[in-house]
Amino acid sequence: MKLVWSIAMALSLLPLAARGEDASADVRRAVREALAERAMVPVAPPVLPVLLPGQPGEPAQRQETHPRPEPAPGKGSQEPARPGTPAPGSPQPHGGPPGHGGAHGAAARSAQSEAVGVAAREAHRIRADAANRAAMGATVNGAAGEASHGSSDCHDAASHMRTMGMDPEHASEPHHGGMMPDGGSTGGTMPGGHQ
Amino acid sequence: MHATPLLALLGLLASAGPEGPDAHLLAGARAFREGQFATALVEFRVAEKLGAADAGAYVAATLVKLGRAEEAVEAFGAAMPASGDPLLDQYRAMACYEARLYLCADRLLEAVAARGGPGMTEQATRTRSEIAAALKDEPPTATIDWYLSRCTGDLRRDRPVLAAAYCAEAAGLGSRRSDGYGKAEADAALSKARQKGAAR
């Protein structure tokens, strides 16, 4: 009797399983289409980094061997400027290039990443980004819309975390606010520039 | 009662349900398409946590779009040790390029140019020619020193995949010099980085 029940159960699962595979294939196709849509990006000419004398082990302290081109800011998305295309007026307090100014911050990120949940960490990043956007919007453009958008991001991320059974307010990672998310700090999404 | 079929049923329902990995992959795809990369990153990471096998590569691609190139290099290393998919190789190449791993980018772009679509091939070819122009002269020792410092630094910071990438870059650049400056040191560090990465 048990055997018959098991077989019946397995047979009843077959269509579900098949449907699941089809759905997964469709989902993956959708993801790949999204990736393909945004795969093409302008790239700045390559710039060979140089370690300055007297600064061993400090990759942030370097100079460029080639001049950098003018910035080519993206529009309508969160995509940052490419390396070599710093946002206008974006400071680089460590004198390093975009993506390399946060050597110490990167180490801290690496250590912290062991301690917290992935999704909670992203919630913090989104919150920090939102704070940056709000601050930059108020300072540079007076863009109140940006600030409200940031709040919405925060709210969405926090809701999402709660939906997933996580607590976005009590992750052990320190809050990464500040105006320079990756410029020697931690957790930023915009190395060397601002959104 | 047999518990196995029941558990299987529950698993199927869970994966197909609104909070299964596919739902998060779809939400991530939607956000990615709209340019909301921070949101896409959350969704792909949740999907990865829920067991979506290929979500790790999507996480890495999203990190590229967020300008977090070094994390992307690490994530690609963990998600897909071998290349072969032109679309993901394109993102991986951009991660390398933005992390100033130009030899790494060039290798991947060569494959993209060979197997990608027309647009990707054109961009890959153009980027490769720019890399070739930047590397046409013998690389300065200070440049190799920079890569060596990143190599040893990331090794200390327990980022073996990224460390290995910088070590390989230093070794590759060193081999382009007549005196092989830094190559032996880079090779030794690369070996260490790979051991450390394999031990993870």
Side-chain angles (χ1 to χ4, degrees):
Chain A
M1 188 61 193
K2 281 180 181 175
L3 181 65
V4 172
W5 188 89
S6 294
I7 292 171
M9 196 69 190
L11 286 175
S12 71
L13 287 177
L14 276 177
L16 261 178
R19 203 159 57 228
E21 278 179 17
D22 288 348
S24 289
D26 288 343
V27 167
R28 272 144 192 82
R29 198 172 304 123
V31 176
R32 290 183 65 83
E33 281 173 7
L35 262 59
E37 206 169 273
R38 293 207 170 249
M40 309 303 293
V41 289
V43 293
V47 180
L48 288 179
V50 175
L51 190 69
L52 289 177
Q55 297 288 336
E58 290 294 338
Q61 299 294 320
R62 67 175 189 85
Q63 64 190 20
E64 308 295 350
T65 56
H66 301 294
R68 295 189 155 218
E70 286 301 305
K75 52 185 178 184
S77 81
Q78 299 172 337
E79 190 166 358
R82 302 287 106 192
T85 58
S90 65
Q92 294 188 23
H94 296 280
H100 292 288
H104 300 297
R109 270 203 302 280
S110 180
Q112 288 157 356
S113 68
E114 298 297 323
V116 296
V118 169
R121 191 162 66 244
E122 290 311 321
H124 273 295
R125 286 202 171 107
I126 290 170
R127 194 177 294 118
D129 291 346
N132 288 338
R133 276 199 297 274
M136 287 303 291
T139 305
V140 180
N141 300 324
E146 282 292 298
S148 65
H149 179 64
S151 300
S152 172
D153 278 358
C154 272
H155 177 75
D156 291 349
S159 299
H160 191 71
M161 295 303 106
R162 289 192 188 95
T163 306
M164 294 305 300
M166 303 167 188
D167 185 354
E169 302 302 328
H170 294 93
S172 59
E173 186 179 26
H175 192 94
H176 303 310
M179 297 295 289
M180 291 298 296
D182 213 11
S185 179
T186 59
T189 61
M190 293 294 299
H194 296 294
Q195 295 175 36
Chain B
M1 279 287 181
H2 286 258
T4 310
L6 277 176
L7 288 174
L9 176 61
L10 284 174
L12 274 173
L13 291 176
S15 71
E19 288 305 323
D22 284 354
H24 290 284
L25 285 177
L26 271 181
R30 197 178 311 119
F32 197 97
R33 196 185 285 267
E34 290 167 359
Q36 301 301 315
F37 300 115
T39 306
L41 183 60
V42 172
E43 296 293 350
F44 288 146
R45 281 203 154 140
V46 173
E48 187 182 24
K49 285 282 172 191
L50 292 175
D54 42 1
Y58 305 149
V59 165
T62 311
L63 286 168
V64 175
K65 301 305 280 187
L66 284 167
R68 289 152 62 175
E70 295 180 7
E71 288 176 72
V73 170
E74 281 272 342
F76 271 122
M80 40 181 283
S83 58
D85 179 329
L87 178 59
L88 294 175
D89 278 353
Q90 161 78 9
Y91 277 95
R92 194 174 192 168
M94 287 303 105
C96 286
Y97 189 91
E98 292 177 19
R100 299 179 197 269
L101 295 160
Y102 297 122
L103 296 178
C104 162
D106 188 58
R107 259 192 319 275
L108 289 159
L109 288 172
E110 185 179 14
V112 172
R115 288 177 286 114
M120 259 193 235
T121 298
E122 194 271 331
Q123 180 172 345
T125 305
R126 193 175 57 244
T127 307
R128 288 194 74 209
S129 70
E130 288 179 348
I131 292 173
L135 298 177
K136 70 179 187 303
D137 298 325
E138 203 171 65
T141 56
T143 293
I144 295 172
D145 285 341
W146 187 87
Y147 285 103
L148 280 172
S149 78
R150 291 304 314 256
C151 154
T152 52
D154 285 318
L155 198 53
R156 273 199 308 272
R157 291 179 204 109
D158 199 26
R159 299 168 81 177
V161 174
L162 192 59
Y166 281 114
C167 297
E169 197 81 5
L173 291 173
S175 67
R176 286 169 174 246
R177 284 180 60 90
S178 55
D179 60 2
Y181 179 86
K183 188 173 184 315
E185 190 185 342
D187 282 338
L190 178 60
S191 175
K192 269 189 210 168
R194 283 181 175 156
Q195 280 173 13
K196 200 169 179 181
R200 269 188 163 181

